[in-house]
Amino acid sequence: METFATRGYHNASLAEIAERAGLTQAGVLHHFRSKAGLLTGVLDLRDQSDIGTLGEERPRGLAFLRHLVETAARNAEREGIVRLYAVLSAESVTEGHPAQDYFRTRYEGLRGLLVEALTEAGELGEIDEGIDPVAAASAVIAVMDGLQVQWLLAPEAVDMAAVTELAITALLGRPLPEAD
Amino acid sequence: METFATRGYHNASLAEIAERAGLTQAGVLHHFRSKAGLLTGVLDLRDQSDIGTLGEERPRGLAFLRHLVETAARNAEREGIVRLYAVLSAESVTEGHPAQDYFRTRYEGLRGLLVEALTEAGELGEIDEGIDPVAAASAVIAVMDGLQVQWLLAPEAVDMAAVTELAITALLGRPLPEAD
DNA sequence: GTCTATATTTGGATAGAC
DNA sequence: GTCTATCCAAATATAGAC
C-alpha cells in the first residue's frame, strides 16, 4: 500500500515492495500471480475498511453528508491513504491500467450512495426540493477528490474538512447538522 | 502530449513518443536532455494556451467564473488535454516526480486567480459579503479537477459543465450571469 | 539534426532447490 | 513458503558516424 501510494502503480517495483515486506521479489510473486494481481489485492484489502463498502447500517440522509466531512477531517491525518487513492484513481484513466474497472465501479457506487443519501434527505424534508441529487452527488465526490491533490501538494494551503463542508452546505443551501 | 496523457509519465516511453513524432528515440533526446526535460517542455508548451497564464486582460469578477464554466464545456470536447492534466497532476504528488514543482506552482497560481476574481466580485457587489474567497477558490478548482477523473472513467455519467456551474452557483449563493 | 549501436540498469516473471 | 538463479524484455542515456 505504501509503495503504490508513494510511487504510483507503474513506477512501483516489486523489488521495493518485497524489501519493505521482508521477503524477496520472487517471494511476493508466490502470493500474487503478477504485479497487477498485487494491486488488485491491495485495493480489495483497503476496501474492507473503507467508505465504499458501508453496509446497510450506514448513516441516512444528511447524516451521511456529515459523515463525509468527518472522513475528510480524518483523512488529513492519513496522508498515505489519501495519496494511494489520489494517485491510483487518476492513473487508472490511462490505457490498460489494471485498476480501471475498480475505480469505474467505485465511482459509480459512490455516486449511487450519495444519490441515495440526498434522496433520503429530500424525503425527510432535510433539504429543498429543487436539488438535483445526481448532479450534487458528482459535485460532492469531485470536491473531495480534487481537494486531496491540492492538499497533498500543499497541506498548509488547504483545509480539506472545512472546504468540503463549505461545498456541501452550499450545494444543499443550508448548514449541515452536527454529528451525534 | 498524447503519449504522456495516455500513459502517464512513468509508463510513457521515449520510444513510443519518438515513433509518433516520426524520429528515433535518440533523435528525441537530441532536443531534450532527458525524459524529465521533455515532460517539462510539454507542460511549458501547453501553458502558452492555457488558463493558468491568462494575461492582464482576463475576465474580472463573476465573468471569470463564467469563463471557468465555459472551459469545462470546452474540455468535454478535448479529452486528450483533460487526461493529460488529470493524470499528471495526481501523478505529480508521488516521490520525486519531475512535474511536482510545476503543479504546486500551478495550483497556487490558480487559487490566486480565483481569490482575486472572487474578491473583485465582492467589491463589485456581485456576490454576498459572507463568502470566503480562499475556501471557495479551493473548492471551485477541486470540483473541476475531480469531475475530470469521473468523466474520463464514465463520460456519459458526468456533465462537467453543468456540475461545475451548479457547484459555482451554490458556492456563490446566486446564479452566474450569462456570457457576453 | 538524425541516425545506429551500445552501455547500463531495471523491470516482471519463471524454474527449481530447499 | 521462501529462496537463488536466470530469462527476457524494455527502459534511459550516451558515443560517435553521417
Side-chain angles (χ1 to χ4, degrees), chain B residues 134-175:
Chain B
V134 173
S138 284
V140 170
I141 296 164
V143 178
M144 295 185 70
D145 283 354
L147 284 173
Q148 292 181 358
V149 175
Q150 290 184 56
W151 176 77
L152 287 166
L153 286 170
E156 302 305 321
V158 181
D159 184 332
M160 288 196 292
V163 178
T164 299
E165 180 161 2
L166 171 68
I168 290 177
T169 57
L171 284 162
L172 298 178
R174 69 176 64 185

Side-chain angles (χ1 to χ4, degrees), chain B residues 23-24 26 30-31:
Chain B
L23 37 65
T24 64
H30 172 74
H31 297 278

